[in-house]
Short mmCIF file of all heavy atoms in Angstrom, two decimals:
data_model
loop_
_atom_site.label_atom_id
_atom_site.label_comp_id
_atom_site.label_asym_id
_atom_site.label_seq_id
_atom_site.Cartn_x
_atom_site.Cartn_y
_atom_site.Cartn_z
N VAL V 426 -21.05 -11.05 35.14
CA VAL V 426 -21.96 -10.00 34.79
C VAL V 426 -21.18 -8.68 34.88
O VAL V 426 -20.12 -8.51 35.17
CB VAL V 426 -23.14 -9.90 36.06
CG1 VAL V 426 -23.96 -11.04 36.06
CG2 VAL V 426 -22.47 -9.52 37.33
N TRP V 427 -21.80 -7.51 34.26
CA TRP V 427 -21.21 -6.27 34.33
C TRP V 427 -22.23 -5.21 34.50
O TRP V 427 -23.42 -5.28 34.30
CB TRP V 427 -20.39 -6.15 33.09
CG TRP V 427 -21.06 -6.18 31.73
CD1 TRP V 427 -22.19 -6.66 31.39
CD2 TRP V 427 -20.53 -5.76 30.51
NE1 TRP V 427 -22.56 -6.52 30.11
CE2 TRP V 427 -21.41 -6.05 29.48
CE3 TRP V 427 -19.31 -5.12 30.11
CZ2 TRP V 427 -21.19 -5.77 28.10
CZ3 TRP V 427 -19.05 -4.86 28.75
CH2 TRP V 427 -20.02 -5.09 27.79
N ASP V 428 -21.78 -3.99 34.76
CA ASP V 428 -22.45 -2.76 35.12
C ASP V 428 -22.35 -1.69 34.11
O ASP V 428 -21.66 -1.82 33.15
CB ASP V 428 -22.26 -2.30 36.48
CG ASP V 428 -20.90 -1.71 36.69
OD1 ASP V 428 -20.18 -1.35 35.75
OD2 ASP V 428 -20.47 -1.56 37.89
N LYS V 429 -23.13 -0.63 34.22
CA LYS V 429 -23.11 0.47 33.23
C LYS V 429 -21.74 1.08 33.14
O LYS V 429 -21.58 1.81 32.06
CB LYS V 429 -24.20 1.43 33.64
CG LYS V 429 -23.89 2.15 34.94
CD LYS V 429 -25.01 3.13 35.41
CE LYS V 429 -24.73 3.82 36.74
NZ LYS V 429 -25.83 4.82 37.08
N ASN V 430 -20.85 1.02 34.04
CA ASN V 430 -19.55 1.52 33.97
C ASN V 430 -18.52 0.47 33.28
O ASN V 430 -17.33 0.74 33.34
CB ASN V 430 -19.09 1.87 35.41
CG ASN V 430 -19.94 2.94 35.99
OD1 ASN V 430 -20.34 3.92 35.36
ND2 ASN V 430 -20.18 2.78 37.22
N TRP V 431 -19.02 -0.58 32.74
CA TRP V 431 -18.24 -1.71 32.09
C TRP V 431 -17.42 -2.37 33.21
O TRP V 431 -16.41 -3.09 32.86
CB TRP V 431 -17.40 -1.05 31.01
CG TRP V 431 -18.28 -0.60 29.83
CD1 TRP V 431 -18.99 0.51 29.82
CD2 TRP V 431 -18.35 -1.19 28.51
NE1 TRP V 431 -19.62 0.69 28.56
CE2 TRP V 431 -19.17 -0.31 27.91
CE3 TRP V 431 -17.74 -2.28 27.89
CZ2 TRP V 431 -19.53 -0.52 26.42
CZ3 TRP V 431 -17.87 -2.49 26.55
CH2 TRP V 431 -18.77 -1.62 25.80
N PHE V 432 -17.73 -2.30 34.43
CA PHE V 432 -17.05 -3.06 35.49
C PHE V 432 -17.58 -4.39 35.40
O PHE V 432 -18.79 -4.67 35.55
CB PHE V 432 -17.11 -2.41 36.88
CG PHE V 432 -16.14 -1.50 37.25
CD1 PHE V 432 -15.65 -0.65 36.24
CD2 PHE V 432 -15.50 -1.34 38.44
CE1 PHE V 432 -14.66 0.31 36.43
CE2 PHE V 432 -14.58 -0.38 38.81
CZ PHE V 432 -14.06 0.46 37.77
N VAL V 433 -16.73 -5.48 35.38
CA VAL V 433 -17.05 -6.97 35.31
C VAL V 433 -16.94 -7.60 36.61
O VAL V 433 -15.89 -7.38 37.30
CB VAL V 433 -16.19 -7.59 34.22
CG1 VAL V 433 -16.52 -9.08 34.14
CG2 VAL V 433 -16.47 -7.04 32.83
N THR V 434 -17.86 -8.51 36.97
CA THR V 434 -17.77 -9.31 38.04
C THR V 434 -17.75 -10.77 37.69
O THR V 434 -18.66 -11.25 37.01
CB THR V 434 -18.85 -9.16 39.00
OG1 THR V 434 -18.90 -7.76 39.54
CG2 THR V 434 -18.85 -10.00 40.22
N VAL V 435 -16.82 -11.62 38.08
CA VAL V 435 -16.52 -13.04 37.67
C VAL V 435 -17.41 -13.76 38.59
O VAL V 435 -17.26 -13.61 39.81
CB VAL V 435 -15.19 -13.41 37.73
CG1 VAL V 435 -14.98 -14.85 37.26
CG2 VAL V 435 -14.31 -12.51 36.74
N LEU V 436 -18.21 -14.70 38.06
CA LEU V 436 -19.11 -15.61 38.89
C LEU V 436 -18.64 -17.08 38.89
O LEU V 436 -18.70 -17.71 39.93
CB LEU V 436 -20.58 -15.63 38.28
CG LEU V 436 -21.11 -14.17 38.32
CD1 LEU V 436 -22.61 -14.38 37.70
CD2 LEU V 436 -21.23 -13.63 39.62
N GLY V 437 -17.97 -17.48 37.81
CA GLY V 437 -17.50 -18.86 37.79
C GLY V 437 -16.94 -19.25 36.50
O GLY V 437 -16.46 -18.44 35.70
N ARG V 438 -17.02 -20.58 36.17
CA ARG V 438 -16.40 -21.11 34.90
C ARG V 438 -17.38 -21.90 34.19
O ARG V 438 -18.19 -22.73 34.70
CB ARG V 438 -15.23 -22.09 35.32
CG ARG V 438 -14.03 -21.45 35.82
CD ARG V 438 -13.22 -20.69 34.71
NE ARG V 438 -12.86 -21.54 33.63
CZ ARG V 438 -12.31 -21.03 32.49
NH1 ARG V 438 -12.06 -19.76 32.43
NH2 ARG V 438 -12.06 -21.92 31.52
#
Side-chain angles (χ1 to χ4, degrees):
V426 297
W427 59 345
D428 63 19
K429 62 182 180 180
N430 296 317
W431 295 66
F432 271 39
V433 174
T434 299
V435 180
L436 299 179
R438 290 286 302 174

